[in-house]
Amino acid sequence: MKLSAAFALLTDLRYAIQAALWPTLKALWTQPSLLFRPQLISRQFMAHVWTAFGSSVDEGGRIVKQGLITPNAQGVVLDIGAGHGHTISYLDRAKVTKYVALEPNQLMHNEIRKAANIAGFSEEAGTLIILPYGAEDTHSIISALEKPELVDTLISILTLCSIPSPEASIQGLVDQVVKPGGQFLFYEHVLSPRKDVAWWQRFWTPVWKSAFDGCRLDRPTDSMVDKMDVWSSKQLWGKEGEDEENLWWHSVGRFVKKE
Ligand SMILES: C[S@@+](CC[C@H](N)C(=O)[O-])C[C@H]1O[C@@H](n2cnc3c(N)ncnc32)[C@H](O)[C@@H]1O
């Protein structure tokens, strides 16, 4: 593997620090109690990183998302780790009846609300729900959905890398929240099939996850999902034209739950 590819991550890290360190320090100055809650500091940092880079990351995945989300998402959509709500712009409003955003970082909720309102979803009309939970908190998610309402389309965009136990969380959500015949759509960066790239992904993960709210580079989440015995149909593909030495090697999936 070329050293420039192996160390590419340092450039991203430098840009992220430049964009997010100062506003995070300002938040610490105004709320010193954050010092006793390191996870909240990490979330402050991540929210500022996403303000600076969320749109360019979205742009980098636009073609994949247009092919994955727009033609397939329908009914009640649950977006795991909704971030600033970038997924909303790929939803076909004529097919999606309700957008449920699951986002534990509450500093991101206003951006989700803005994006959802622009697309015609609102809390007042009952077409938007924003939940402050992690994907692992299945119990709270079920309690917060009305009736409880089941979900037609579960979506995860660049989020399974940050969930503490992705396999258990996805299994829990698919078993208890997704309707029979419902689907799971994902676009994730995953463990590379190339051994040398995987080595560097494992090497950098401790540094990367400390800065970016638990985001791991070395997760084979695509094969975790593929192995689950709950699907009636499975489609798994890669990101066209991606450099094999990319530390953020992407995988795309559309899986349909058994009836
Ligand atoms: C890289 S961002 C992606 C955001 C969004 N999906 C997008 O494509 O723009 C990852 C998101 O996962 C969220 N996240 C972190 N831990 C999570 C968890 N346990 N459950 C659900 N979301 C989580 C983060 O707060 C962050 O918004």
Side-chain angles (χ1 to χ4, degrees):
M1 183 171 174
K2 289 191 291 295
L3 281 182
S4 57
F7 285 86
L9 165 147
L10 290 180
T11 311
D12 289 20
L13 201 56
R14 181 163 61 87
Y15 285 140
I17 289 171
Q18 275 171 359
L21 184 61
W22 181 240
T24 305
L25 289 175
K26 276 212 281 200
L28 272 171
W29 179 257
T30 51
Q31 305 165 63
S33 61
L34 286 175
L35 279 171
F36 304 103
R37 305 182 67 187
Q39 196 189 28
L40 292 187
I41 301 177
S42 183
R43 287 192 171 161
Q44 278 279 348
F45 187 83
M46 186 63 196
H48 294 302
V49 166
W50 214 239
T51 300
F53 302 108
S55 295
S56 50
V57 173
D58 174 49
E59 201 49 51
R62 178 171 298 281
I63 292 174
V64 174
K65 293 193 247 181
Q66 281 168 340
L68 174 73
I69 301 171
T70 314
N72 295 312
Q74 53 92 27
V76 178
V77 168
L78 175 61
D79 187 13
I80 310 172
H84 284 172
H86 283 104
T87 296
I88 298 166
S89 66
Y90 300 92
L91 300 175
D92 178 345
R93 187 66 186 87
K95 290 195 301 185
V96 175
T97 52
K98 184 179 282 194
Y99 175 71
V100 184
L102 192 65
E103 179 46 69
N105 190 339
Q106 299 193 32
L107 298 168
M108 295 179 164
H109 286 190
N110 273 344
E111 295 299 322
I112 298 174
R113 192 168 286 114
K114 269 193 243 164
N117 290 167
I118 289 169
F121 299 97
S122 73
E123 283 146 318
E124 299 73 39
T127 51
L128 167 68
I129 304 180
I130 303 176
L131 302 178
Y133 310 125
E136 58 282 7
D137 200 353
T138 335
H139 184 73
S140 304
I141 298 167
I142 294 172
S143 313
L145 293 173
E146 297 142 32
K147 291 188 228 156
E149 184 163 41
L150 289 181
V151 161
D152 299 279
T153 311
L154 185 65
I155 298 183
S156 177
I157 305 295
L158 306 175
T159 294
L160 296 182
C161 49
S162 305
I163 295 177
S165 312
E167 206 165 2
S169 299
I170 294 303
Q171 182 83 51
L173 288 172
V174 173
D175 284 347
Q176 299 175 63
V177 179
V178 176
K179 278 182 192 166
Q183 45 181 345
F184 178 38
L185 311 176
F186 69 83
Y187 165 59
E188 294 288 337
H189 62 79
V190 299
L191 185 70
S192 169
R194 261 184 58 165
K195 284 209 165 69
D196 53 347
V197 180
W199 189 91
W200 282 103
Q201 287 177 311
R202 291 192 179 100
F203 176 81
W204 287 120
T205 285
V207 177
W208 192 255
K209 76 172 186 179
S210 312
F212 298 103
D213 196 17
C215 171
R216 301 191 64 105
L217 299 170
D218 60 352
R219 282 239 176 102
T221 38
D222 49 350
S223 19
M224 288 177 186
V225 173
D226 193 29
K227 274 189 221 139
M228 290 166 53
D229 183 28
V230 288
W231 311 118
S232 63
S233 85
K234 307 178 191 187
Q235 287 168 275
L236 203 52
W237 65 100
K239 184 175 177 184
E240 215 173 294
E242 186 153 64
D243 180 354
E244 269 188 30
E245 295 195 335
N246 192 355
L247 289 171
W248 293 269
W249 176 252
H250 291 90
S251 187
V252 193
R254 175 173 185 255
F255 288 70
V256 178
K257 184 179 169 177
K258 288 178 187 164
E259 290 283 349

